[in-house]
Amino acid sequence: PHMDCSNVENEMFCDNEGGEPPPRRFGTVLSLTDRPFLEDLWPDLNMIVMDAVEASSPSSTSSSSSPSSSPSPPERMSIKEAARLLEIFLDRVSLETSTVSGHLLDREFSGPALSREEWALKMEIEKFMSSCSKNPAAREAPGFKFVQEMIERLGGDPAEMMKTAALKPPIDNKKL
């Protein structure tokens, strides 16, 4: 089947003849510099080079180029600039893929960093873990692994919470 190359979303698939999608790739490599040998080594990976400067950027236009001359290779930014660009990109990926509650049980976030509602939930979870620390049968239940996974997704360490919960006095909810 042929792809509709007029659709911007499909444009990247239409560079090859016939508008066929390229072979399916296994993954992606983010490289600071252009290393063509990597494409030969791992043809099943997409290679994205961070140091290439787009032809439309002001720094890459030159007054000596003419429309009839052959295209010159893209200009390259410094390793430091490419590393910064990659850092910004990875920060954005991290932001887009992180949960909004991953800080709730993180020891670094406490006190004023948590809202009143988050603090109340944190206290309830700690109370629950305190109960579990005193009940071996509860910890051996098949569903307890899901509780541990939830604790991890909320930024906590289940094993550490079990240890510290056993040492803490009961929480007084009336103070919240």
Side-chain angles (χ1 to χ4, degrees):
H2 290 286
M3 226 171 217
D4 176 12
C5 292
S6 63
N7 182 342
V8 175
E9 293 173 359
N10 292 331
E11 189 174 305
M12 66 180 178
F13 295 118
C14 297
D15 289 338
N16 56 2
E17 291 182 30
E20 295 294 326
R24 189 155 183 102
R25 301 282 177 115
F26 175 71
T28 301
V29 173
L30 301 173
S31 176
L32 291 180
T33 60
D34 187 19
R35 299 190 284 176
F37 69 92
L38 291 178
E39 289 185 48
D40 295 333
L41 254 163
W42 297 302
D44 56 340
L45 295 173
N46 288 316
M47 302 293 166
I48 297 178
V49 179
M50 302 307 294
D51 73 345
V53 177
E54 288 188 29
S56 63
S57 70
S59 64
S60 67
T61 58
S62 92
S63 57
S64 63
S65 66
S66 67
S68 62
S69 67
S70 62
S72 59
E75 290 185 26
R76 301 288 176 199
M77 61 179 73
S78 72
I79 292 288
K80 187 176 180 180
E81 291 171 314
R84 180 66 180 137
L85 183 62
L86 179 58
E87 182 180 39
I88 291 168
F89 172 74
L90 293 175
D91 281 348
R92 178 64 187 253
V93 169
S94 176
L95 174 69
E96 295 294 328
T97 59
S98 65
T99 64
V100 294
S101 299
H103 66 285
L104 186 66
L105 299 177
D106 189 327
R107 293 180 157 277
E108 299 294 319
F109 291 90
S110 61
L114 298 176
S115 69
R116 184 173 185 273
E117 295 82 8
E118 289 173 321
W119 188 256
L121 179 57
K122 179 178 181 162
M123 293 297 103
E124 290 300 318
I125 293 171
E126 287 183 356
K127 188 167 64 170
F128 173 75
M129 291 303 284
S130 178
S131 295
C132 289
S133 72
K134 297 173 184 114
N135 188 338
R139 293 189 312 270
E140 292 171 10
F144 191 68
K145 70 178 180 179
F146 297 109
V147 171
Q148 291 175 306
E149 289 171 6
M150 177 199 68
I151 297 294
E152 289 171 356
R153 282 195 312 270
L154 294 174
D157 179 354
E160 184 64 29
M161 286 186 79
M162 296 294 285
K163 281 192 270 184
T164 58
L167 302 174
K168 286 185 181 179
I171 298 168
D172 184 4
N173 283 336
K174 294 176 187 170
K175 293 182 180 179
L176 295 177

